[in-house]
């Protein structure tokens, strides 16, 4: 299996079973991700160096205007796509096996968690993982320490309040907050 076949199978939502082909391939990619994030987080880097390390991590060119303040954590890296002008503040954690897409000019506060995998409810199969993508639109603001769960789409112009736990899709131009997050107001 090559990387694209692996990502296609994750995109299709194929479960990752312990000891299976996807699990073994994921393990190999994760080792490279650990190396790159350790390098990114271990010392000072210019924004140009950060952009280069992020491009290595994602396997894609880093878009114009992208900024990241380390530390940054990912467990795969290759399933992250970011738009132009995206800003990631310190301590963001991206569990990206299911895929993470972030639109242009979106801002992340510190310690945001994006989790794209759920595990089986049955304790006998708990180690089986089910990937589901997170899609975040353009001009979104995700507040510090927010958590966005698998399968969630956040519409353009939305705001996710600090500390929110987002379990459902967020319409465009709305503010959500709380645990679980609910609509607080619309943005005119």
């Amino acid at each position: 299996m090559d990387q694209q076949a692996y990502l296609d199978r994750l995109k299709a939502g194929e479960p990752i079973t312990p000891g299976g082909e996807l699990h073994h391939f994921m393990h190999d990619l994760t080792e490279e991700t650990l190396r790159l994030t350790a390098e990114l987080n271990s010392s000072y880097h210019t924004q140009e160096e950060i952009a280069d390390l992020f491009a290595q991590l994602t396997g894609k060119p880093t878009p114009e205007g992208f900024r990241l303040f380390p530390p940054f954590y990912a467990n795969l890296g290759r399933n992250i796509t970011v738009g132009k002008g995206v800003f990631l503040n310190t301590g963001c954690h991206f569990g990206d096996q299911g895929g993470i897409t972030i639109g242009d000019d979106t801002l992340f506060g510190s310690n945001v968690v994006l989790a794209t995998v759920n595990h089986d409810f049955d304790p006998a199969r708990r180690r089986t993982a089910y990937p589901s993508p997170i899609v975040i639109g353009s001009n979104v603001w995700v507040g510090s320490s927010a958590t966005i769960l698998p399968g969630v789409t956040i519409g353009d112009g939305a705001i996710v309040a600090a500390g929110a736990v987002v379990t459902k899709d967020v319409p465009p131009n709305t503010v959500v907050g709380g645990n679980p997050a609910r609509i607080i107001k619309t943005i005119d």
Side-chain angles (χ1 to χ4, degrees):
M1 172 178 355
D2 65 10
Q3 179 177 297
Q4 190 56 54
Y6 171 74
L7 294 174
D8 289 344
R9 288 171 69 179
L10 292 179
K11 184 177 182 178
E14 187 172 327
I16 304 166
T17 56
E21 185 179 24
L22 289 177
H23 184 258
H24 287 297
F25 198 85
M26 179 182 69
H27 184 325
D28 292 342
L29 285 179
T30 299
E31 290 300 313
E32 176 66 4
T33 301
L34 291 171
R35 184 190 68 73
L36 287 167
T37 55
E39 184 176 342
L40 175 66
N41 298 332
S42 65
S43 65
Y44 172 79
H45 297 285
T46 65
Q47 280 299 312
E48 292 79 19
E49 293 166 334
I50 289 170
D52 180 58
L53 287 165
F54 195 79
Q56 291 177 56
L57 181 69
T58 63
K60 302 171 189 81
T62 303
E64 177 184 332
F66 172 82
R67 289 189 54 92
L68 181 148
F69 290 172
F72 173 79
Y73 305 96
N75 56 10
L76 184 62
R78 298 298 179 159
N79 221 356
I80 300 170
T81 302
V82 298
K84 292 185 264 184
V86 167
F87 172 69
L88 305 176
N89 212 330
T90 61
C92 289
H93 293 251
F94 287 11
D96 63 291
Q97 293 99 327
I100 293 171
T101 303
I102 302 168
D104 294 344
D105 300 312
T106 290
L107 308 173
F108 285 76
S110 300
N111 303 313
V112 170
V113 175
L114 304 183
T116 65
V117 170
N118 271 322
H119 290 273
D120 203 296
F121 283 19
D122 180 349
R125 293 190 307 266
R126 185 69 36 92
R127 291 189 183 272
T128 298
Y130 300 94
S132 187
I134 292 173
V135 178
I136 300 175
S138 296
N139 295 302
V140 172
W141 175 19
V142 181
S144 294
S145 299
T147 299
I148 301 171
L149 297 181
V152 168
T153 295
I154 298 177
D156 292 345
I159 297 173
V160 176
V165 178
V166 184
T167 62
K168 297 178 188 173
D169 290 353
V170 175
N173 299 312
T174 58
V175 179
V176 298
N179 180 6
R182 60 178 172 68
I183 295 174
I184 296 171
K185 68 179 196 172
T186 58
I187 301 169
D188 297 331

